[in-house]
Coordinates of all heavy atoms in Angstrom, one line a residue:
M1 N 95.4 73.2 32.3 CA 95.4 72.2 33.4 C 94.0 72.3 34.1 O 93.5 73.3 34.4 CB 96.5 72.4 34.3 CG 96.6 71.5 35.5 SD 96.9 69.8 35.0 CE 98.6 69.6 35.6
A2 N 93.4 71.1 34.3 CA 92.1 71.0 34.9 C 92.2 71.4 36.4 O 93.2 71.1 37.0 CB 91.5 69.6 34.7
D3 N 91.1 72.0 36.9 CA 91.0 72.3 38.3 C 90.6 71.1 39.1 O 90.8 71.0 40.4 CB 90.1 73.4 38.6 CG 90.6 74.7 38.1 OD1 91.8 74.9 37.9 OD2 89.8 75.6 37.7
V4 N 90.0 70.1 38.5 CA 89.6 68.9 39.1 C 90.1 67.7 38.3 O 90.1 67.7 37.1 CB 88.0 68.8 39.1 CG1 87.5 67.5 39.7 CG2 87.4 70.0 40.0
T5 N 90.6 66.7 39.1 CA 91.0 65.5 38.4 C 90.3 64.3 39.1 O 89.9 64.4 40.2 CB 92.6 65.2 38.6 OG1 92.9 65.1 39.9 CG2 93.3 66.3 37.9
V6 N 90.1 63.3 38.3 CA 89.4 62.1 38.8 C 90.5 60.9 38.6 O 90.9 60.7 37.5 CB 88.1 61.8 38.1 CG1 87.5 60.5 38.6 CG2 87.2 62.9 38.2
Q7 N 90.8 60.3 39.7 CA 91.7 59.1 39.7 C 91.0 57.8 39.9 O 90.3 57.7 41.0 CB 92.8 59.3 40.7 CG 93.9 58.3 40.8 CD 94.9 58.4 41.8 OE1 94.8 59.4 42.6 NE2 95.9 57.6 41.8
V8 N 91.1 56.9 39.1 CA 90.5 55.6 39.3 C 91.4 54.7 40.1 O 92.6 54.5 39.6 CB 90.2 54.9 37.9 CG1 89.5 53.5 38.2 CG2 89.3 55.8 37.1
L9 N 91.1 54.4 41.3 CA 92.0 53.5 42.1 C 91.8 52.0 41.8 O 90.7 51.6 41.4 CB 91.7 53.7 43.6 CG 92.0 55.1 44.2 CD1 91.8 55.1 45.7 CD2 93.3 55.6 43.7
N10 N 92.9 51.3 41.8 CA 92.9 49.9 41.5 C 91.9 49.2 42.6 O 92.2 49.2 43.8 CB 94.3 49.4 41.6 CG 94.4 47.9 41.1 OD1 93.6 47.5 40.3 ND2 95.3 47.2 41.7
N11 N 90.9 48.5 42.0 CA 90.0 47.9 42.9 C 89.3 48.7 44.0 O 89.0 48.2 45.1 CB 90.6 46.6 43.5 CG 91.1 45.7 42.5 OD1 90.5 45.5 41.5 ND2 92.2 45.0 42.8
G12 N 89.2 50.0 43.7 CA 88.7 50.9 44.7 C 87.8 52.0 44.1 O 87.4 52.0 42.9
P13 N 87.7 53.1 44.9 CA 86.8 54.2 44.4 C 87.4 55.2 43.4 O 88.5 54.9 42.9 CB 86.5 55.0 45.7 CG 87.8 54.8 46.4 CD 88.2 53.4 46.1
L14 N 86.6 56.1 43.0 CA 87.0 57.2 42.1 C 87.4 58.3 43.1 O 86.6 58.8 43.9 CB 85.9 57.7 41.2 CG 85.4 56.6 40.2 CD1 84.1 57.2 39.5 CD2 86.4 56.2 39.2
L15 N 88.6 58.8 43.0 CA 89.1 60.0 43.8 C 88.9 61.2 43.0 O 89.6 61.3 42.0 CB 90.5 59.8 44.3 CG 90.8 58.7 45.3 CD1 92.2 58.8 45.8 CD2 89.8 58.8 46.5
V16 N 88.0 62.1 43.5 CA 87.9 63.4 42.8 C 88.7 64.4 43.6 O 88.5 64.6 44.8 CB 86.4 63.8 42.8 CG1 86.2 65.1 42.1 CG2 85.6 62.7 42.1
K17 N 89.7 64.9 43.0 CA 90.7 65.9 43.6 C 90.4 67.3 43.1 O 90.5 67.5 41.8 CB 92.1 65.4 43.4 CG 92.4 64.0 43.9 CD 93.8 63.5 43.5 CE 94.1 62.2 44.0 NZ 95.5 61.7 43.7
G18 N 90.2 68.2 44.0 CA 90.0 69.6 43.6 C 88.8 70.1 44.4 O 88.2 69.4 45.1
T19 N 88.5 71.3 44.0 CA 87.2 71.9 44.6 C 86.0 71.5 43.8 O 85.9 71.7 42.6 CB 87.4 73.5 44.6 OG1 88.5 73.9 45.3 CG2 86.1 74.1 45.2
C20 N 85.1 70.8 44.5 CA 83.9 70.3 43.8 C 82.8 70.2 44.8 O 83.0 70.1 46.0 CB 84.2 69.0 43.1 SG 84.5 67.6 44.2
A21 N 81.6 70.0 44.3 CA 80.4 69.7 45.0 C 79.8 68.4 44.4 O 79.7 68.3 43.2 CB 79.4 70.8 45.0
V22 N 79.4 67.5 45.3 CA 78.7 66.3 44.8 C 77.2 66.5 45.2 O 76.9 66.8 46.3 CB 79.2 65.0 45.5 CG1 78.5 63.8 45.1 CG2 80.7 64.9 45.2
T23 N 76.3 66.3 44.2 CA 74.9 66.5 44.4 C 74.1 65.2 44.1 O 74.6 64.4 43.4 CB 74.3 67.6 43.5 OG1 74.5 67.3 42.1 CG2 75.0 68.9 43.7
D24 N 73.0 65.1 44.8 CA 72.1 64.0 44.5 C 71.3 64.2 43.2 O 71.5 65.2 42.5 CB 71.2 63.6 45.7 CG 70.2 64.7 46.0 OD1 70.0 65.6 45.2 OD2 69.7 64.6 47.2
H25 N 70.4 63.3 42.9 CA 69.6 63.3 41.7 C 68.7 64.5 41.6 O 68.2 64.9 40.5 CB 68.8 62.0 41.4 CG 67.8 61.8 42.5 ND1 68.2 61.4 43.8 CD2 66.5 61.9 42.5 CE1 67.1 61.3 44.5 NE2 66.0 61.6 43.8
E26 N 68.5 65.2 42.8 CA 67.6 66.4 42.8 C 68.4 67.7 42.9 O 67.8 68.7 43.1 CB 66.6 66.2 44.0 CG 65.7 65.1 43.9 CD 64.7 65.0 45.0 OE1 65.1 65.3 46.2 OE2 63.6 64.4 44.8
G27 N 69.7 67.5 42.9 CA 70.6 68.7 42.9 C 71.0 69.2 44.3 O 71.6 70.2 44.5
N28 N 70.6 68.4 45.4 CA 71.0 68.7 46.7 C 72.4 68.3 47.0 O 72.9 67.2 46.6 CB 70.1 67.9 47.7 CG 68.6 68.3 47.5 OD1 68.2 69.4 47.5 ND2 67.8 67.2 47.3
T29 N 73.2 69.2 47.5 CA 74.6 68.9 47.8 C 74.7 67.9 48.9 O 74.2 68.0 50.0 CB 75.3 70.2 48.2 OG1 75.2 71.2 47.2 CG2 76.8 70.0 48.5
V30 N 75.4 66.8 48.6 CA 75.7 65.7 49.6 C 77.1 65.8 50.0 O 77.5 65.1 51.1 CB 75.3 64.3 49.0 CG1 73.8 64.2 48.8 CG2 76.1 64.0 47.8
A31 N 78.0 66.5 49.4 CA 79.4 66.6 49.8 C 80.0 67.9 49.1 O 79.6 68.2 48.0 CB 80.2 65.4 49.4
D32 N 80.7 68.6 49.9 CA 81.4 69.8 49.4 C 82.9 69.5 49.7 O 83.2 69.2 50.9 CB 80.9 71.0 50.1 CG 80.3 72.0 49.2 OD1 80.8 72.0 48.0 OD2 79.5 72.8 49.6
S33 N 83.8 69.7 48.8 CA 85.2 69.5 49.1 C 86.1 70.5 48.4 O 85.8 70.9 47.3 CB 85.5 68.1 48.7 OG 86.9 67.8 48.8
D34 N 87.2 70.8 49.1 CA 88.2 71.5 48.4 C 89.5 70.7 48.4 O 90.6 71.3 48.2 CB 88.5 72.9 49.1 CG 88.8 72.8 50.6 OD1 88.9 71.7 51.1 OD2 89.0 73.9 51.2
S35 N 89.3 69.4 48.6 CA 90.5 68.6 48.6 C 90.2 67.3 47.8 O 90.4 67.2 46.6 CB 91.1 68.3 50.0 OG 90.1 67.7 50.8
V36 N 89.7 66.3 48.5 CA 89.5 64.9 47.9 C 88.2 64.3 48.3 O 87.8 64.3 49.4 CB 90.6 63.9 48.2 CG1 90.3 62.6 47.6 CG2 92.0 64.5 47.8
V37 N 87.4 63.8 47.3 CA 86.2 63.1 47.6 C 86.3 61.7 47.0 O 86.8 61.6 45.9 CB 85.0 63.8 47.0 CG1 83.7 62.9 47.1 CG2 84.7 65.2 47.6
A38 N 85.9 60.6 47.7 CA 86.0 59.3 47.2 C 84.6 58.8 46.8 O 83.7 58.7 47.7 CB 86.6 58.3 48.2
L39 N 84.3 58.5 45.5 CA 83.1 58.1 45.1 C 83.0 56.6 44.8 O 84.0 56.1 44.2 CB 82.7 58.8 43.7 CG 82.5 60.4 43.8 CD1 82.3 61.0 42.5 CD2 81.5 60.8 44.8
C40 N 82.0 56.0 45.3 CA 81.9 54.5 45.1 C 81.9 54.1 43.7 O 81.2 54.6 42.9 CB 80.7 54.0 45.8 SG 80.5 52.2 45.7
R41 N 82.7 53.1 43.4 CA 82.7 52.5 42.0 C 82.3 51.1 42.0 O 82.0 50.5 41.0 CB 84.2 52.6 41.4 CG 84.3 52.2 40.0 CD 85.7 52.7 39.5 NE 86.8 52.1 40.1 CZ 87.5 51.0 39.5 NH1 87.2 50.6 38.3 NH2 88.5 50.5 40.1
C42 N 82.2 50.5 43.2 CA 81.9 49.0 43.3 C 80.3 48.8 43.4 O 79.9 47.7 43.1 CB 82.6 48.4 44.4 SG 81.9 48.8 46.0
G43 N 79.6 49.8 43.8 CA 78.2 49.6 44.0 C 77.7 49.1 45.3 O 76.6 48.8 45.6
M44 N 78.7 48.8 46.2 CA 78.4 48.1 47.5 C 78.4 49.0 48.7 O 78.0 48.6 49.8 CB 79.4 47.0 47.7 CG 79.4 45.9 46.7 SD 80.5 44.5 47.1 CE 82.1 45.1 46.8
S45 N 78.7 50.3 48.5 CA 78.7 51.2 49.6 C 77.3 51.5 50.2 O 76.3 51.5 49.4 CB 79.3 52.6 49.1 OG 79.2 53.6 50.2
S46 N 77.2 51.6 51.5 CA 75.9 51.8 52.1 C 75.7 53.3 52.2 O 74.6 53.8 52.7 CB 75.8 51.2 53.5 OG 76.8 51.7 54.3
S47 N 76.6 54.1 51.7 CA 76.5 55.6 51.8 C 76.8 56.2 50.4 O 77.4 57.2 50.3 CB 77.4 56.2 52.9 OG 78.7 55.9 52.6
K48 N 76.2 55.6 49.4 CA 76.4 56.0 48.0 C 75.9 57.5 47.9 O 74.9 57.8 48.6 CB 75.6 55.1 47.0 CG 76.1 53.8 46.9 CD 75.2 53.0 45.9 CE 75.4 51.6 45.9 NZ 74.7 50.8 47.0
P49 N 76.6 58.3 47.2 CA 77.6 58.0 46.2 C 79.0 57.9 46.8 O 79.9 57.7 46.0 CB 77.4 59.1 45.2 CG 77.0 60.3 46.0 CD 76.1 59.7 47.1
M50 N 79.1 58.1 48.1 CA 80.4 58.1 48.7 C 80.9 56.7 48.9 O 80.2 55.7 49.2 CB 80.4 58.8 50.0 CG 79.6 60.2 49.9 SD 80.2 61.2 48.6 CE 81.7 61.8 49.2
C51 N 82.2 56.5 48.9 CA 82.8 55.2 49.2 C 82.9 55.1 50.7 O 83.2 56.0 51.4 CB 84.3 55.2 48.6 SG 85.3 53.8 49.2
D52 N 82.5 53.8 51.2 CA 82.6 53.6 52.7 C 83.6 52.5 53.0 O 83.7 52.0 54.1 CB 81.2 53.3 53.2 CG 80.7 52.0 52.8 OD1 81.3 51.3 51.9 OD2 79.6 51.6 53.3
G53 N 84.4 52.1 52.0 CA 85.4 51.1 52.2 C 84.9 49.6 52.0 O 85.8 48.7 52.1
T54 N 83.7 49.5 51.7 CA 83.2 48.1 51.4 C 83.8 47.4 50.3 O 83.9 46.2 50.2 CB 81.6 48.1 51.3 OG1 81.0 48.8 52.4 CG2 81.0 46.8 51.2
H55 N 84.4 48.2 49.4 CA 85.1 47.6 48.2 C 86.2 46.6 48.7 O 86.6 45.8 47.9 CB 85.6 48.7 47.3 CG 86.6 49.6 47.9 ND1 86.3 50.7 48.6 CD2 87.9 49.4 48.1 CE1 87.4 51.3 49.1 NE2 88.4 50.5 48.8
N56 N 86.7 46.8 49.9 CA 87.7 46.0 50.3 C 87.3 44.5 50.6 O 88.1 43.7 51.0 CB 88.3 46.6 51.6 CG 89.1 47.8 51.4 OD1 89.9 47.8 50.4 ND2 88.9 48.8 52.2
T57 N 86.0 44.2 50.4 CA 85.5 42.9 50.6 C 85.6 42.0 49.4 O 85.1 40.9 49.3 CB 84.0 42.9 51.1 OG1 83.2 43.5 50.1 CG2 83.9 43.6 52.4
G58 N 86.3 42.5 48.3 CA 86.5 41.7 47.2 C 86.1 42.3 45.9 O 86.0 41.6 44.8
F59 N 86.0 43.6 45.7 CA 85.7 44.3 44.5 C 86.9 44.1 43.5 O 88.0 44.4 43.9 CB 85.4 45.7 44.7 CG 85.2 46.5 43.4 CD1 84.3 46.2 42.5 CD2 86.0 47.6 43.2 CE1 84.2 46.9 41.3 CE2 85.9 48.4 42.1 CZ 85.0 48.1 41.1
D60 N 86.5 43.6 42.3 CA 87.6 43.5 41.3 C 87.3 44.6 40.2 O 86.5 44.5 39.4 CB 87.6 42.1 40.7 CG 88.6 41.9 39.6 OD1 89.4 42.9 39.3 OD2 88.8 40.8 39.1
G61 N 88.0 45.6 40.3 CA 87.9 46.8 39.4 C 88.5 46.6 38.1 O 88.4 47.5 37.2
T62 N 89.1 45.4 37.8 CA 89.7 45.2 36.5 C 88.8 44.6 35.5 O 89.1 44.5 34.3 CB 90.9 44.2 36.6 OG1 90.4 43.0 37.1 CG2 92.0 44.8 37.6
L63 N 87.6 44.1 36.0 CA 86.7 43.6 35.1 C 86.0 44.6 34.2 O 85.7 45.7 34.6 CB 85.5 42.8 35.8 CG 86.0 41.7 36.7 CD1 84.8 41.1 37.5 CD2 86.6 40.6 35.8
N64 N 85.8 44.3 32.9 CA 85.1 45.2 32.0 C 83.6 45.1 32.2 O 83.1 44.0 32.5 CB 85.5 44.8 30.5 CG 86.9 45.1 30.2 OD1 87.4 46.1 30.7 ND2 87.5 44.3 29.4
P65 N 82.9 46.2 31.9 CA 81.4 46.1 32.1 C 80.9 45.3 31.0 O 81.5 45.0 29.9 CB 81.0 47.6 31.8 CG 82.1 48.3 31.1 CD 83.4 47.5 31.5
P66 N 79.6 44.7 31.2 CA 79.0 43.8 30.2 C 78.8 44.6 28.9 O 78.5 45.8 28.9 CB 77.7 43.4 30.8 CG 77.7 44.0 32.2 CD 78.8 44.9 32.4
S67 N 78.9 44.0 27.8 CA 78.7 44.7 26.5 C 77.4 44.3 25.9 O 76.7 43.4 26.3 CB 79.9 44.4 25.5 OG 80.0 43.0 25.4
Ligands
FES101 S1 84.3 51.8 45.9 FE1 84.5 51.9 48.0 S2 82.6 51.2 48.7 FE2 82.4 51.1 46.6

């Protein structure tokens, strides 16, 4: 059993559950969690990579990425 799970929410963020650290592109820790972290999946958050709830303005997470 994995210590960390990632749950894709319907029309919402990725919930990372478990003990984890989120780092930026330079390796700096931007979040430390031993419970749940919500990562933006819609691209509209003003505090990326974290979800700030902006997805509630109409993000449709059911669309497939362009091929
Ligand atoms: S998924 Fe919540 S702001 Fe992008």
Side-chain angles (χ1 to χ4, degrees):
M1 181 65 108
D3 292 334
V4 175
T5 60
V6 179
Q7 179 182 9
V8 180
L9 294 190
N10 189 30
N11 301 326
L14 304 171
L15 290 187
V16 182
K17 301 176 180 179
T19 301
C20 68
V22 179
T23 63
D24 66 14
H25 63 288
E26 295 178 331
N28 302 306
T29 300
V30 295
D32 242 333
S33 175
D34 58 2
S35 56
V36 178
V37 173
L39 298 177
C40 178
R41 186 164 70 99
C42 73
M44 296 186 286
S45 174
S46 61
S47 58
K48 294 181 194 81
M50 313 309 286
C51 169
D52 68 357
T54 306
H55 61 269
N56 288 316
T57 61
F59 172 59
D60 182 355
T62 62
L63 298 176
N64 290 324
S67 54

